Amino acid sequence: MSPTSGGPTTRRRWWRETVVYQIYPRSFLDTDADGVGDLRGIGHRIDHLADLGVGALWLSPIYRSPMTDFGYDVSDHCDVDPLFGDLAEFDRLLGRAHDRGLRVLLDWVPNHTSVEHAWFRESRSSRSSPKRNWYVWRDPAADGGPPNNWVAAFDPDSPAWTYDGRTGQYYLHLFLPEQPDLNWANPEVESAQHDVLRFWLDRGVDGFRADVVHLIGKDPALPDEPPERASQSRVGYHHEPRTHPLLRRIRGVLDAYPGDRAIVGEINLHDSSAIAEYHGEGDELHLAFNFALLRAGWNARRWRTAITEVVEAYEPVGAWPTWVLSNHDEPRHVTRYGSVARARAAAVALLSLPGTPFLYAGEELGLSDAAIPPHLRVDPGGREGCRAPIPWERGPDHGWPAEPWLPWPPSAGALSAEAQRGDPTSTLELYRHLLRVRRSSEALRAGTFAWRDAPPDVLAFDRGAEDDRRAVLVNFAASPRSVAMPGAWEIDASSRRKREGQAFGGAVSAEEGLVLRPSR
Ligand code: TEU
C-alpha cells in the first residue's frame, strides 16, 4: 500500500484537518417546548460541541418545509422554518459558533424542491408558465403511462413520475412525489440555486453539505433503465458527466468568497473511483461522502477492503477521503455492530484514518437506535430510530422542556451528556480524548498512510508525518490478539481507556482500538 499523498507538504486546508459534526436540528435540543429541536437549542449546547473538539458543524436542513421528508423538501431556501426559529436566530447561532472557533455548514438541497415551493407552484400552473422548464415535465408515454421506467427512491414499486392532470404531463421526482426534481439543464435554475448559495455565504456560512448533488446532471433523453436495473432507484448509481460542469460553476461561486468556503457532496455511489471523480481537477467538490466504511459492518476484512479501495481511488487524483459511520439516514453503528464496545473501537479508526471524519450527533454518547412504535412512524424511509432526541441530562426529561417528537434512545439517562461528562471511562470522554490525540498529531491529521502486518481480524495501519508517527490497531475479534510491534511503543489512546500512557506489550484486548506512539 503506497502511502497517500496526504503528507505534511499538502496545502493546509481546514476541511482536510478538522472533524465535522452533523446535527439533526429537530432532535438536538428543543427550547420552545414544541417537542422539536431548534436553533436556540444548538446555541445552548455550543460548549458541548466546542469542548468535544470538533471544528465544524453540519446542520441538516433548517429551511421552510412542509416536512414531508423532514426538511429535504424545501419550500423556501432562503428562510428558516419557524419550527427551528428565524434568520435572526440563525445569525446569532452562527456568531456563537464562530466565537467558539466552530465553522458552520448548511445542508443545501440542489436536486429537488418541495411541491409547495413557489417555483414549482408557478411551474405546474400551466404549460406556458415561465417556470415550466424549471422542472422536468414530459408527455405521457404512448400507453399513457410514465415517460420512462425510473422508480422512486423511497418506494421502488412506484414510478419516479407523477401525472399532473391540469396540464396533462408527468413531472419527475427521484424521491417523493412531494419532491419534484429541478431541471439543472435550465440556466435559470442554475442561476437561482447559485443565488441561494450566495444568500447564505453572504451571511457568513462556511460552506455546504450538498444533498445527492450527483443527481443534478441528467441526460435530457431520460432513457429507460436496462431491465436488470428497472426496479432500482437511480440514487445509488446515477453517474452523469453532465454534473461535472455544473459542479465546477458551483465551486466558482464558493471560490469567489474569502475564508476557504467548502462544499462536501453526498455522492451515494458504491464505486469509490467514481466518487473520486467529483473532486474534478480540484475544481469541483472539496470533499465527497464515501459510505464504503458505513456499509462495511463489523468485519476487519471488509474494513480493510473499503479503506484500501478509497485510498487507492482518491490518492492518484489528489482527492481527500471522508469517513463516516453514522448519519440521519442509517441505523446508528452501535445498533449495527451490536455493542458500544465495538462502536468505541471503530471510533479509534474513524478518527485516525487519512481524511476528514464526520461524526453524527449522539455517537459521542454511544447512543443506539430508539425503538419506534408504529403510531410514531412518520418518515418515508423508516429512519426514525437514528433520529431520536439527544439526552442531555440524567432526569426523565433529559433536559428537554416537553415530550420530544420521537421516543428516547435506550438508556437515555445513563448515556446522557450529563452522566458521561467527566467520567474518564465514558464514551463521551473517549471521543474527547481521541479528538485531542488527533489534534496533537500531525501524522493523524495530515500524514501518510500504510497498512501494517497483523492477524486477519486486526485492522493495523501506520500514519506518519516527518518526525511524528502513530500506529493504529483495532481488534475486531471477541478475544485478545497479539500484534508484533518492533521498537518501543506506548498507548496514546485505548477505546477501553485502559493502559493509556503505558508501554504497549503486544496484546490488543477483545474488540479494542488502540492508538500507539513511539515511546518517549
Ligand atoms: O439521502 C439520499 C439517500 O440516498 C437516502 O435517501 C438513502 O437512500 C435512504 O435514506 C436510505 O436509507 C439524502 C438525504 O440524506 C435524505 O435524508 C433525504 O431523504 C434524501 O437525500 C432526499 O433529499
Side-chain angles (χ1 to χ4, degrees):
M1 167 65 63
S2 62
T4 62
S5 61
T9 54
T10 303
R11 201 155 72 115
R12 312 310 288 250
R13 313 295 267 165
W14 68 266
W15 41 270
R16 282 178 175 262
E17 299 197 11
T18 197
V19 176
V20 185
Y21 183 96
Q22 179 193 1
I23 291 175
Y24 193 68
R26 42 183 325 126
S27 299
F28 197 71
L29 177 60
D30 173 22
T31 59
D32 58 5
D34 62 359
V36 175
D38 45 53
L39 295 175
R40 191 175 301 130
I42 300 171
H44 287 184
R45 295 294 165 179
I46 208 77
D47 288 344
H48 170 82
L49 300 166
D51 295 348
L52 180 59
V54 298
L57 311 177
W58 149 31
L59 308 187
S60 277
I62 59 172
Y63 320 107
R64 283 190 182 273
S65 165
M67 302 294 170
T68 310
D69 186 15
F70 292 92
Y72 286 93
D73 50 321
V74 179
S75 56
D76 185 341
H77 294 90
C78 297
D79 197 7
V80 173
D81 194 282
L83 257 182
F84 302 121
D86 56 23
L87 284 170
E89 195 66 56
F90 174 76
D91 293 340
R92 279 192 289 276
L93 172 61
L94 185 63
R96 291 189 69 173
H98 284 168
D99 289 346
R100 298 302 309 269
L102 296 166
R103 287 181 166 88
V104 175
L105 307 179
L106 287 185
D107 204 323
W108 177 47
V109 186
N111 179 66
H112 45 269
T113 69
S114 163
V115 283
E116 299 304 318
H117 200 297
W119 298 346
F120 187 72
R121 288 206 304 270
E122 172 54 49
S123 179
R124 80 180 314 171
S125 64
S126 82
R127 289 195 182 209
S128 59
S129 160
K131 286 190 167 50
R132 188 66 174 183
N133 195 32
W134 280 48
Y135 292 83
V136 183
W137 293 94
R138 292 292 187 280
D139 288 338
D143 65 1
N148 68 18
N149 66 354
W150 294 7
V151 297
F154 293 120
D155 178 8
D157 295 330
S158 297
W161 297 89
T162 291
Y163 184 69
D164 180 63
R166 180 169 20 173
T167 58
Q169 287 191 312
Y170 283 87
Y171 67 85
L172 176 68
H173 51 82
L174 292 181
F175 289 92
L176 297 169
E178 293 84 355
Q179 293 173 293
D181 278 44
L182 282 163
N183 172 20
W184 273 81
N186 182 340
E188 294 174 359
V189 169
E190 182 176 7
S191 173
Q193 282 283 26
H194 287 182
D195 288 344
V196 168
L197 295 174
R198 293 187 186 102
F199 176 86
W200 295 104
L201 291 165
D202 288 343
R203 292 189 102 82
V205 160
D206 299 284
F208 303 92
R209 177 265 190 182
D211 185 66
V212 288
V213 70
H214 63 303
L215 300 179
I216 63 175
K218 294 181 177 80
D219 177 347
L222 303 174
D224 266 353
E225 293 300 347
E228 65 272 14
R229 279 198 331 212
S231 61
Q232 291 175 43
S233 151
R234 291 188 63 84
V235 175
Y237 59 82
H238 181 93
H239 184 37
E240 169 58 53
R242 292 177 177 84
T243 298
H244 295 291
L246 297 171
L247 288 179
R248 285 194 286 276
R249 295 194 288 269
I250 290 164
R251 176 65 177 267
V253 172
L254 270 75
D255 287 350
Y257 283 77
D260 218 4
R261 317 294 176 99
I263 183 167
V264 52
E266 185 198 23
I267 310 291
N268 291 75
L269 303 178
H270 293 253
D271 175 347
S272 294
S273 297
I275 297 171
E277 289 177 33
Y278 291 84
H279 165 81
E281 302 296 324
D283 59 353
E284 295 185 33
L285 298 174
H286 295 85
L287 297 171
F289 279 121
N290 192 303
F291 298 120
L293 215 49
L294 190 150
R295 295 176 178 133
W298 182 249
N299 178 292
R301 179 185 51 74
R302 286 206 294 267
W303 271 58
R304 197 175 294 110
T305 301
I307 295 164
T308 299
E309 178 192 289
V310 171
V311 171
E312 290 189 342
Y314 282 49
E315 201 267 341
V317 298
W320 191 251
T322 64
W323 307 102
V324 63
L325 296 178
S326 283
N327 61 30
H328 65 295
D329 286 335
E330 303 295 341
R332 286 183 177 273
H333 58 284
V334 170
T335 299
R336 300 200 314 269
Y337 298 158
S339 78
V340 174
R342 291 178 172 182
R344 288 167 59 129
V348 171
L350 174 71
L351 292 165
S352 304
L353 283 165
T356 300
F358 283 73
L359 305 181
Y360 177 50
E363 80 171 76
E364 78 275 21
L365 302 178
L367 299 184
S368 58
D369 277 13
I372 309 293
H375 71 282
L376 290 181
R377 289 228 167 258
V378 291
D379 178 64
R383 301 161 290 185
E384 298 89 350
C386 67
R387 299 177 175 184
I390 304 293
W392 296 104
E393 297 173 11
R394 280 193 184 85
D397 63 6
H398 306 307
W400 284 55
E403 184 177 357
W405 71 295
L406 285 175
W408 294 105
S411 309
L415 294 181
S416 64
E418 178 185 37
Q420 296 195 46
R421 193 174 301 112
D423 171 359
T425 66
S426 71
T427 302
L428 174 58
E429 294 301 341
L430 167 66
Y431 267 76
R432 295 182 65 208
H433 181 60
L434 290 173
L435 282 148
R436 270 195 304 272
V437 166
R438 179 185 170 84
R439 275 197 310 278
S440 73
S441 168
E442 173 80 8
L444 293 181
R445 282 196 323 279
T448 58
F449 169 86
W451 289 117
R452 168 180 284 271
D453 289 340
D457 37 21
V458 175
L459 195 78
F461 56 87
D462 291 334
R463 304 294 315 277
E466 293 172 4
D467 59 352
D468 182 40
R469 291 173 60 208
R470 293 290 188 283
V472 179
L473 309 176
V474 180
N475 178 8
F476 283 70
S479 56
R481 289 292 183 273
S482 293
V483 181
M485 293 287 291
W489 296 83
E490 67 184 49
I491 295 172
D492 214 358
S494 156
S495 60
R496 293 175 174 270
R497 307 309 314 273
K498 305 279 191 197
R499 304 175 290 158
E500 288 178 352
Q502 296 176 20
F504 175 64
V508 190
S509 302
E511 296 175 345
E512 180 181 40
L514 296 175
V515 179
L516 306 179
R517 61 183 302 159
S519 293
R520 287 171 281 190

